[in-house]
Amino acid sequence: MSYKKIKIMLLIFLIINILPIPIFGIYLYTHMGGAKNVKEVVENSPFKEFTYIDHKTLMIIKDKNQNISGMYKEILISINGIYIGTHGSIGIKMPLGFLFKYFPINGFKYYNGVIIKNPNKLDLGKAEINNLINTVPSNYKDILIYKKYYVIGIYYDLNSNKTYLVYVSKKLNNIKIDTEKLENYLKQKTNAVNCKVIDMGNKIYIYQEFNGIKLDLINNGIYYESYYNKTYRES
């Protein structure tokens, strides 16, 4: 065999067996990580209403929870974000997730760019970019709760060790809110070090700041609903 043919065969071998490795690595590197902003979270959602947990938050959970085994920690690293539907559906956004479309695994299905577990027809569907989402700061997507009548966006500042939360809700009948009274109520209920309530006419805007990285704030909207029901609907 001539030297030229050996070089050609070696080149073909490298193209087939070696070249895909760096390409695969580059693909994973460029596609790994959380969503760019709040709107991207909504646009990628496979559910009409959902709670979203971003890659950044998953990494915080991984570092704080010592009970997670090494294997599951590696799995968390590869996940871009997790969607939880109102009716129990779970969606996982991750690089190469489209492979599940061609190589399905029992219990999982590929839907709308996301790997779905426990799909419920009541969850499935596109969420809309509405005027509530447009009010939430674009980086408040470490945890995002998207409902028909309200949105909660949470941002974790790891440098200052603070948690910031924005809650935006539609107001029924455009009732005027006593913002000072609501601020004091929320400070008492949530231990926020800073709280600001803005009555925007057809919606209410609540900003809260907390010391430390708080991973248990996803139900903070309940405090406003409780206040709203007690003060206005029951009066």
Side-chain angles (χ1 to χ4, degrees):
M1 183 180 296
S2 68
Y3 178 69
K4 185 177 181 180
K5 287 184 177 180
I6 293 175
K7 287 178 63 177
I8 294 174
M9 291 178 64
L10 180 60
L11 180 61
I12 294 173
F13 174 84
L14 291 174
I15 292 174
I16 295 175
N17 295 280
I18 306 300
L19 188 59
I21 296 176
I23 293 175
F24 179 75
I26 293 171
Y27 177 88
L28 288 180
Y29 178 79
T30 56
H31 288 78
M32 193 172 291
K36 294 179 181 178
N37 51 51
V38 165
K39 288 186 177 180
E40 183 178 293
V41 172
V42 179
E43 290 170 350
N44 286 339
S45 173
F47 308 136
K48 292 174 283 189
E49 295 185 323
F50 60 85
T51 295
Y52 171 79
I53 305 172
D54 193 61
H55 175 82
K56 175 181 171 184
T57 305
L58 294 175
M59 294 303 94
I60 295 173
I61 294 172
K62 176 183 75 70
D63 293 336
K64 285 181 174 291
N65 193 331
Q66 301 302 318
N67 295 322
I68 301 177
S69 67
M71 180 185 70
Y72 289 106
K73 284 186 177 182
E74 295 301 321
I75 293 175
L76 285 178
I77 292 173
S78 67
I79 294 176
N80 298 107
I82 296 176
Y83 292 88
I84 303 173
T86 303
H87 302 280
S89 304
I90 298 175
I92 302 173
K93 184 76 174 176
M94 62 187 304
L96 301 177
F98 64 89
L99 293 177
F100 281 74
K101 184 176 181 180
Y102 306 101
F103 305 99
I105 296 177
N106 187 33
F108 292 87
K109 63 178 296 186
Y110 183 77
Y111 173 81
N112 197 26
V114 178
I115 304 166
I116 301 291
K117 177 76 172 176
N118 301 326
N120 187 308
K121 291 182 179 180
L122 296 176
D123 285 325
L124 301 180
K126 292 295 293 181
E128 298 180 357
I129 302 291
N130 56 28
N131 61 348
L132 296 180
I133 281 293
N134 289 329
T135 311
V136 177
S138 62
N139 61 335
Y140 279 52
K141 49 80 183 178
D142 294 334
I143 292 181
L144 186 72
I145 302 171
Y146 178 92
K147 302 291 184 181
K148 185 176 181 180
Y149 295 107
Y150 72 86
V151 176
I152 296 178
I154 297 175
Y155 170 69
Y156 297 119
D157 190 332
L158 300 180
N159 293 324
S160 64
N161 195 36
K162 287 184 178 292
T163 299
Y164 301 92
L165 178 148
V166 164
Y167 172 91
V168 187
S169 173
K170 293 181 180 179
K171 278 188 355 183
L172 296 179
N173 303 320
N174 292 336
I175 296 173
K176 185 173 177 59
I177 300 293
D178 186 334
T179 56
E180 183 177 355
K181 186 176 180 181
L182 178 54
E183 284 177 10
N184 293 332
Y185 176 85
L186 291 173
K187 285 180 181 178
Q188 178 187 0
K189 288 291 184 179
T190 65
N191 295 317
V193 296
N194 190 14
C195 182
K196 183 67 176 177
V197 178
I198 302 174
D199 189 337
M200 302 180 72
N202 63 344
K203 55 182 174 287
I204 191 81
Y205 183 95
I206 300 172
Y207 164 86
Q208 292 179 297
E209 177 184 333
F210 301 84
N211 286 330
I213 303 301
K214 306 293 185 181
L215 296 171
D216 56 349
L217 298 179
I218 61 174
N219 290 322
N220 262 33
I222 293 174
Y223 294 119
Y224 167 70
E225 295 297 329
S226 174
Y227 171 87
Y228 186 88
N229 290 335
K230 183 177 180 180
T231 306
Y232 297 100
R233 290 180 181 167
E234 297 176 4
S235 60

